[in-house]
Amino acid sequence: MSEKYIINAMDMESAGIVSSKIKKQLLGLGFDRQLVRRVAIASYEAEINVVIHSFGGYCVYEISDDKIVIKFVDTGPGIPDVKKAMTAGWSTASKKDNEAGFGAGMGFPNMLNSADIVDVDTSEKGTTVSLIFNLSK
Ligand SMILES: Nc1ncnc2c1ncn2[C@@H]1O[C@H](COP(=O)(O)OP(=O)(O)OP(=O)(O)O)[C@@H](O)[C@H]1O
Ligand SMILES: [Mg+2]
């Protein structure tokens, strides 16, 4: 099965809705709670990044026999230095983002700790962050 959700930039009110929908669906489908927790943490971080750092985009996720693949796709401005962006504590968040509780520079480190694979494909035209979770048989 697969699902797609739109994510609007700067929409703090809705930030987190997509990852919480994914969490509920996976629990409803009977996936292991520990796995669902990892998916929820990683997808929340990726979703918030689309809201606060990008021009907006969407999330698409697909469950197959052996894995769950969740992609967060946005339309720019891209991440100039992915290696730096993945470093704990590194952030370009604004003062306003900090006041809203974001910008600790821990989103990517949390994704890397929670997902089996984090793949980032980025250019000025947009960023795709793919989170992959292996399903044990
Ligand atoms: N979708 C994106 N588009 C453009 N830049 C991004 C995107 N996602 C992350 N970044 C860049 O990577 C940096 C690090 O992201 P990360 O999620 O680790 O930290 P943060 O979002 O700044 O803070 P936190 O996630 O702890 O609230 C961001 O500050 C931003 O510069
Ligand atoms: Mg973040």
Side-chain angles (χ1 to χ4, degrees):
M1 64 155 274
S2 83
E3 298 270 358
K4 183 176 171 179
Y5 300 109
I6 301 296
I7 303 171
N8 295 312
M10 303 312 292
D11 184 358
M12 297 297 186
E13 302 254 305
S14 312
I17 285 186
V18 171
S19 44
S20 103
K21 272 186 186 156
I22 294 173
K23 180 181 176 180
K24 278 190 195 123
Q25 281 185 12
L26 294 178
L27 286 174
L29 289 166
F31 282 98
D32 171 68
R33 286 189 161 269
Q34 192 62 37
L35 171 75
V36 176
R37 200 179 141 71
R38 288 168 49 218
V39 172
I41 291 169
S43 54
Y44 174 79
E45 295 290 0
E47 178 184 5
I48 298 296
N49 281 354
V50 173
V51 174
I52 69 172
H53 302 299
S54 92
F55 303 146
Y58 62 89
C59 165
V60 59
Y61 88 103
E62 204 168 326
I63 304 169
S64 59
D65 283 348
D66 60 340
K67 59 185 182 296
I68 299 173
V69 179
I70 310 178
K71 291 186 181 189
F72 289 83
V73 183
D74 67 53
T75 55
I79 304 175
D81 188 335
V82 174
K83 217 176 143 195
K84 242 189 208 167
M86 287 194 167
T87 309
W90 197 86
S91 176
T92 61
S94 66
K95 209 175 151 216
K96 198 170 141 256
D97 295 329
N98 286 313
E99 280 160 7
F102 305 117
M106 289 309 292
F108 274 120
N110 284 339
M111 285 182 240
L112 291 164
N113 278 329
S114 303
D116 290 305
I117 299 173
V118 179
D119 180 67
V120 180
D121 183 13
T122 184
S123 76
E124 317 82 71
K125 295 208 171 93
T127 298
T128 297
V129 173
S130 304
L131 306 173
I132 301 173
F133 302 85
N134 298 323
L135 299 174
S136 47
K137 273 154 253 161

